Amino acid sequence: MDIVLENEKLKVKIHPRGAELQSIYHKEYKQEYMWNGDPTHWAKFSPILFPVVGQLKDNTYYYKDKAYSLSRHGFAREMMFETSLVTETSVRFSLKSNEETRRNYPFDFELCIHYKIEGDQLYTGYEVINTGTEIMYFSIGGHPAFAVPLEKGRDYGEYKIEFSEEETAPRWLINDGLISVSAPFLDHQKSFKLSNELFAKDAIVLKHLSSKTVSLCSDSGHRGLTIRIEGFPFLGIWAAPNAPFVCIEPWCGIADSQFHNQQLTEKEGIISLDAGASWLHEWELLLF
């Protein structure tokens, strides 16, 4: 059953499977901001990516000379989370390691997803607790899909992705799910227009941006949103072919490169967490 958070401005729905955010409705604007999960395009809404972001080379990694297999984006998005600390405007979801997770991820952990709404804002927190006796290694990220267009009478191409700072950054190309070479993309610019052609060869992957926020907006419309991505070193932007949505994805982690040696401890963006320690990152969503 969905968990519903509600205040004077927002009504938010989250499903315990994958602790997946599935609806953000703004009461004043009478506007749904999330993609509707239509399976003809993409049957997800906002999956949690853990303990890997993106795809592993040959879907395999090595840890202490043993091979393990994980599918793209890991297992958390398909698992049932427990709920606790539920109030009208906040909730905590928890997933603990078990026999099933240890088969292909040999670490003891608790993964907590926190959601909180205040006014027009939604806060999403990722907390990882190492409940084991050795260092654990993980990546984590968000994959929220937002409806485009956000207003009737607007077209997909009227919308743009806008950064808070002027950026010069290449786009890291994806080949069979793996990071390959870079190509010129942002050149002293703060925004780029959306188009279906942008995603013909998978997601736009950007690294180490200067911007603290990224927005989805339109010069010809009123509705949009801003995500605070500070502290997330990688950003993915993606849409399914000809689908009326765009994903803006803050990541702490990234897919394997084509040339990676598949050693988990040497994976780009991997986070190491000492036994008994915890790690917390949060992204914020402001609706307008």
Side-chain angles (χ1 to χ4, degrees):
M1 184 174 68
D2 287 343
I3 298 295
V4 177
L5 307 182
E6 193 165 2
N7 64 11
E8 70 283 359
K9 294 286 187 70
L10 303 180
K11 185 175 183 179
V12 172
K13 296 180 181 179
I14 309 119
H15 198 284
R17 180 175 295 281
E20 186 176 19
L21 178 66
Q22 296 192 343
S23 174
I24 307 171
Y25 182 76
H26 198 292
K27 299 176 184 179
E28 180 181 337
Y29 304 153
K30 296 180 172 56
Q31 176 68 52
E32 173 61 59
Y33 281 79
M34 293 294 294
W35 158 245
N36 64 17
D38 182 350
T40 59
H41 290 292
W42 191 53
K44 295 285 187 182
F45 302 82
S46 181
I48 303 297
L49 317 182
F50 177 89
V52 294
V53 171
Q55 189 164 317
L56 297 171
K57 189 175 181 179
D58 300 325
N59 293 318
T60 301
Y61 69 89
Y62 292 87
Y63 179 68
K64 292 187 174 180
D65 297 322
K66 184 176 178 181
Y68 297 90
S69 178
L70 284 173
S71 59
R72 181 180 292 198
H73 296 323
F75 51 71
R77 59 184 180 157
E78 304 297 343
M79 302 192 75
M80 292 298 294
F81 283 64
E82 296 181 355
T83 58
S84 62
L85 305 177
V86 182
T87 72
E88 288 185 355
T89 58
S90 65
V91 62
R92 175 184 184 268
F93 290 88
S94 172
L95 174 68
K96 296 180 180 179
S97 54
N98 54 44
E99 184 177 345
E100 180 184 356
T101 65
R102 291 189 198 99
R103 289 193 194 104
N104 285 301
Y105 186 65
F107 302 102
D108 290 317
F109 67 87
E110 183 177 4
L111 170 62
C112 301
I113 310 298
H114 304 264
Y115 293 103
K116 179 179 68 174
I117 55 174
E118 292 182 355
D120 298 296
Q121 291 181 276
L122 168 68
Y123 299 84
T124 301
Y126 302 142
E127 182 181 11
V128 181
I129 304 166
N130 183 347
T131 57
T133 57
E134 62 179 42
I135 295 173
M136 69 175 284
Y137 297 87
F138 70 94
S139 296
I140 193 167
H143 202 316
F146 303 106
V148 182
L150 283 168
E151 298 172 84
K152 292 182 179 179
R154 305 294 177 198
D155 294 323
Y156 194 88
E158 293 181 49
Y159 286 80
K160 63 182 177 180
I161 300 296
E162 186 170 79
F163 302 96
S164 58
E165 305 294 331
E166 188 176 272
E167 301 282 358
T168 296
R171 171 183 182 173
W172 290 86
L173 302 178
I174 298 176
N175 188 3
D176 292 330
L178 303 178
I179 300 297
S180 59
V181 298
S182 64
F185 187 62
L186 299 174
D187 184 12
H188 296 93
Q189 62 193 90
K190 292 189 68 172
S191 67
F192 64 89
K193 288 284 190 180
L194 286 183
S195 71
N196 295 123
E197 292 74 26
L198 277 173
F199 311 109
K201 295 183 178 180
D202 214 317
I204 295 168
V205 176
L206 305 172
K207 300 181 183 183
H208 308 295
L209 297 173
S210 300
S211 295
K212 294 183 178 180
T213 66
V214 59
S215 299
L216 170 66
C217 54
S218 167
D219 291 333
S220 55
H222 301 287
R223 303 280 78 89
L225 55 91
T226 297
I227 300 180
R228 177 168 290 277
I229 58 171
E230 190 174 5
F232 290 84
F234 308 100
L235 181 70
I237 303 168
W238 174 80
N242 300 310
F245 70 82
V246 67
C247 295
I248 303 174
E249 310 172 38
W251 296 338
C252 288
I254 196 171
D256 279 352
S257 80
Q258 292 179 309
F259 312 105
H260 183 48
N261 63 13
Q262 298 177 272
Q263 297 297 318
L264 181 65
T265 59
E266 298 175 31
K267 180 174 172 58
E268 184 179 10
I270 200 73
I271 300 162
S272 62
L273 186 62
D274 289 338
S278 62
W279 178 97
L280 176 65
H281 265 44
E282 180 181 73
W283 54 270
E284 306 167 23
L285 177 65
L286 171 64
L287 308 175
F288 58 85

